[in-house]
Amino acid sequence: MDMQANEVERFQLLLQQINLTEDAAVVHFRNGSIARLTVHKQSKKWHFHFQFEKILPFNVYHLFHTKLTKAFSHIADVSFSFEARDSSFDEKLVQDYWSICIQEMDGISPPMLALLNEQKPTVQGVKVIVKTKNDTEAMTIKRKYASLIQDSFQQFGFPAFQLDTTVAVSVEEIKHFQEQKLQEDKARGLQALTDMENAEKEESSQQELTGPLTIGYTIKDDEEIRTMASIEDEERRIAIQGYVFDAETKELRSGRTLLTFKITDYTSSILVKMFARDKEDAVLVQAVKKGMWLKVRGSIQNDTFVRDLVMIANDINEISPKERQDRAPEGEKRVELHLHSPMSQMDAVTSISKYVEQAKKWGHKAIALTDHAVAQSFPEAYSAGKKNGVKVLYGVEINLVDDGVPIAYNDDNRYLPDETYVVFDVETTGLSAVYDTIIELAAVKVRGGEIVDRFESFANPHHPLSATTIELTGITDDMVREAPNVDVVLRKFKEWIGQDILVAHNASFDMGFLNV
């Protein structure tokens, strides 16, 4: 091929070479050209970049692709891309190319590939719209695959169109969803009834156990109670007492019931195990719950399973804890005025109901609730106050927010509808009003919503502008070289604005320069 021939002539030679000069499709190749050819010698790959008047109809593209690849199959692996001088397109053209463009995409997940292959997009103006089943699919296509689809289409001469999505749900899908939701609601209702029945059964079984819990023998008051911190080795028989902060019962394969609970006397803590000796004991051990105060007697053994000392209990007695008392005389009881409930995020763990109950026990007549910026505990506090006869003081800790920069400086008593406003902007050599200077000042006067006058002037900084300043402002050295000095510009601007109101987008920045 003559390398001096122009691009159009070279393309016509190519058409002759691939035997595509007599076909009716030739009309679409009029003024076509080979913009460039990239040859990869080692991999024997050629890539043509063609330029046509318009995007080729899909059947013409298919014919051209078949003949070109066949003609060069013995020489190289041929690929090509197109550019159209007139890149306008319609819905049919997009739909014709849709399948092949989706196949050309790399890295698309199989579910998304199936979704895109099962449909033909629609076109609204410059938007190509893809249907999705839900918002998640829509977001995935927009974020991950929109640019890939656009790149794929651009290989065939299409412009960089905008890809959009629409969630299309069929009537059958809506009906199926409603039926499924109805079934789920029924299942939840049945589960709630079952849970209520189980809770009632558990409550009734617990109500049968009246009085303090006793398993085994009674531990007498004169029995020595050891502190848990003093337990350092295995011992045959000791007694401890404390608060249960975790409890669990489970039935073993042998049929026996094992109770394990963790207890603390606030000097230390220990794990206690107890095996139910009979069915009666099995019922009793299940009554041990978190929150109880117990006196426990048994042996201390080194447990290989937990790798620590544990107590194997023989006797368990429920005891009443020594509660804190408010010993202030009547009429002098304190009132808590600063209290947070769990509605104060990360700042409380006890409900307001518990607080009110405790206030009643201590003889307090009132209690105040002051959550952080919320009032959600008020209904619970109201109920607790009524139930316990304690007056609730409803409060809240308010968060004060600084509204930031004021919207008006140097306020004055004026009737704004009749005022004239000067909307202005400054371009500068930097951000510092002290070390940098103004290089352009522009403004318009607005009265009654109409522009009535304009002001615009460059200012000479007397030094070359930095590349950053030129890039950000679009102002070059040539524009400011013959401009007046900044003081002259500002004097004219001050006379021009008179007593009118100044308006700026970033007023603190612009006014900073004017003030200096």
Side-chain angles (χ1 to χ4, degrees):
M1 184 181 292
D2 184 2
M3 298 301 294
Q4 299 300 315
N6 63 39
E7 296 172 352
V8 175
E9 289 175 346
R10 280 186 291 174
F11 181 70
Q12 293 302 320
L13 287 172
L14 178 67
L15 291 180
Q16 293 175 19
Q17 185 178 349
I18 66 175
N19 196 23
L20 191 60
T21 55
E22 303 299 329
D23 197 279
V26 173
V27 67
H28 297 285
F29 298 121
R30 189 173 295 136
N31 296 326
S33 62
I34 303 174
R36 58 184 176 273
L37 169 62
T38 306
V39 178
H40 302 278
K41 291 182 179 179
Q42 290 183 348
S43 59
K44 291 186 177 180
K45 290 184 177 180
W46 290 14
H47 182 83
F48 288 93
H49 185 81
F50 298 109
Q51 192 175 65
F52 298 123
E53 286 295 327
K54 292 186 176 183
I55 301 170
L56 295 179
F58 183 72
N59 62 329
V60 175
Y61 153 76
H62 185 69
L63 177 66
F64 181 68
H65 174 270
T66 303
K67 286 185 174 289
L68 185 65
T69 52
K70 183 178 178 181
F72 285 88
S73 59
H74 64 290
I75 300 173
D77 183 11
V78 174
S79 62
F80 45 83
S81 56
F82 303 132
E83 180 184 338
R85 298 181 184 92
D86 176 6
S87 59
S88 59
F89 62 90
D90 57 17
E91 187 170 272
K92 184 179 182 305
L93 199 57
V94 172
Q95 292 177 348
D96 288 344
Y97 274 92
W98 181 252
S99 295
I100 193 170
C101 285
I102 298 304
Q103 291 171 12
E104 291 284 324
M105 290 168 57
D106 292 325
I108 186 167
S109 67
M112 284 294 119
L113 185 61
L115 173 72
L116 295 172
N117 270 326
E118 289 169 359
Q119 64 175 297
K120 293 290 185 183
T122 56
V123 174
Q124 291 182 3
V126 295
K127 283 186 179 180
V128 174
I129 300 170
V130 176
K131 294 175 185 171
T132 61
K133 298 187 187 74
N134 50 58
D135 291 332
T136 304
E137 287 182 348
M139 192 66 70
T140 302
I141 287 175
K142 283 183 178 179
R143 288 184 175 178
K144 293 183 66 175
Y145 301 122
S147 60
L148 292 175
I149 294 172
Q150 288 172 1
D151 292 345
S152 186
F153 268 90
Q154 282 182 299
Q155 293 180 40
F156 299 98
F158 284 81
F161 53 71
Q162 183 179 351
L163 189 78
D164 205 349
T165 59
T166 179
V167 178
V169 183
S170 66
V171 176
E172 291 77 11
E173 287 175 328
I174 294 172
K175 188 176 180 181
H176 174 70
F177 173 77
Q178 290 173 340
E179 289 175 355
Q180 189 177 12
K181 188 174 183 300
L182 186 62
Q183 294 298 327
E184 289 175 358
D185 291 343
K186 285 181 180 178
R188 288 196 190 98
L190 290 171
Q191 185 61 45
L193 287 172
T194 305
D195 292 343
M196 287 172 64
E197 289 173 1
N198 292 338
E200 288 171 1
K201 288 177 183 177
E202 185 178 346
E203 187 178 347
S204 62
S205 64
Q206 290 178 355
Q207 287 174 350
E208 293 171 3
L209 302 172
T210 56
L213 177 67
T214 301
I215 305 174
Y217 293 104
T218 302
I219 304 171
K220 295 181 180 179
D221 292 338
D222 58 356
E223 180 97 22
E224 181 189 359
I225 303 297
R226 292 277 299 277
T227 62
M228 296 177 198
S230 68
I231 301 172
E232 296 180 349
D233 207 346
E234 295 186 335
E235 299 192 45
R236 291 191 64 182
R237 180 184 170 94
I238 65 168
I240 58 174
Q241 69 178 20
Y243 170 77
V244 177
F245 60 92
D246 187 48
E248 180 185 13
T249 56
K250 58 183 175 182
E251 191 172 332
L252 305 177
R253 292 180 184 177
S254 61
R256 299 175 71 190
T257 301
L258 171 64
L259 163 68
T260 59
F261 62 89
K262 298 171 185 176
I263 188 170
T264 180
D265 63 357
Y266 299 101
T267 67
S268 186
S269 57
I270 194 169
L271 179 69
V272 180
K273 291 185 174 182
M274 185 177 198
F275 294 92
R277 288 165 288 208
D278 49 38
K279 289 185 178 180
E280 185 180 344
D281 271 2
V283 174
L284 292 173
V285 296
Q286 290 177 0
V288 175
K289 303 290 182 185
K290 176 183 174 181
M292 282 184 166
W293 286 79
L294 300 179
K295 191 181 287 187
V296 187
R297 184 166 56 196
S299 60
I300 304 297
Q301 299 180 14
N302 201 346
D303 191 303
T304 56
F305 183 72
V306 298
R307 297 183 180 182
D308 203 355
L309 295 172
V310 302
M311 172 177 272
I312 305 300
N314 298 315
D315 311 305
I316 296 176
N317 295 178
E318 185 179 4
I319 60 174
S320 299
K322 291 182 179 179
E323 294 186 351
R324 186 177 178 183
Q325 303 292 320
D326 185 345
R327 304 188 185 281
E330 282 300 322
E332 297 181 19
K333 299 282 187 182
R334 70 190 294 275
V335 171
E336 177 58 58
L337 296 176
H338 187 98
L339 192 67
H340 296 160
S341 79
M343 293 299 173
S344 288
Q345 188 177 18
M346 303 295 288
D347 203 20
V349 294
T350 308
S351 70
I352 186 61
S353 299
K354 293 289 184 184
Y355 283 131
V356 174
E357 287 174 15
Q358 189 61 52
K360 180 186 178 183
K361 288 179 184 177
W362 284 338
H364 297 182
K365 293 183 178 180
I367 188 169
L369 174 62
T370 55
D371 275 329
H372 289 314
V374 295
Q376 277 87 335
S377 281
F378 284 8
E380 183 185 349
Y382 176 82
S383 300
K386 288 290 185 183
K387 180 180 177 182
N388 293 282
V390 175
K391 181 179 180 180
V392 178
L393 308 175
Y394 301 96
V396 65
E397 284 192 1
I398 297 298
N399 296 326
L400 294 178
V401 179
D402 183 1
D403 289 336
V405 179
I407 63 169
Y409 296 91
N410 305 327
D411 53 288
D412 192 13
N413 186 21
R414 300 193 185 189
Y415 186 60
L416 297 179
D418 294 342
E419 283 297 316
T420 299
Y421 299 91
V422 174
V423 184
F424 77 101
D425 186 28
V426 298
E427 298 295 350
T428 66
T429 57
L431 301 177
S432 172
V434 176
Y435 299 106
D436 297 306
T437 185
I438 294 172
I439 54 176
E440 184 185 24
L441 200 158
V444 293
K445 278 188 180 180
V446 179
R447 188 182 301 119
E450 299 289 336
I451 295 176
V452 297
D453 199 0
R454 297 176 183 272
F455 181 98
E456 185 173 4
S457 176
F458 289 114
N460 193 340
H462 293 288
H463 62 74
L465 300 178
S466 68
T468 305
T469 301
I470 294 171
E471 184 179 349
L472 290 176
T473 65
I475 299 171
T476 64
D477 290 321
D478 292 338
M479 296 178 183
V480 296
R481 188 176 289 114
E482 303 300 327
N485 289 339
V486 176
D487 59 335
V488 175
V489 174
L490 288 176
R491 198 176 300 116
K492 289 180 179 178
F493 182 65
K494 188 176 181 182
E495 292 172 0
W496 183 75
I497 63 176
Q499 297 299 313
D500 296 334
I501 297 173
L502 290 171
V503 180
H505 170 65
N506 188 4
S508 58
F509 176 83
D510 296 326
M511 287 303 301
F513 275 87
L514 294 190
N515 288 334
V516 169

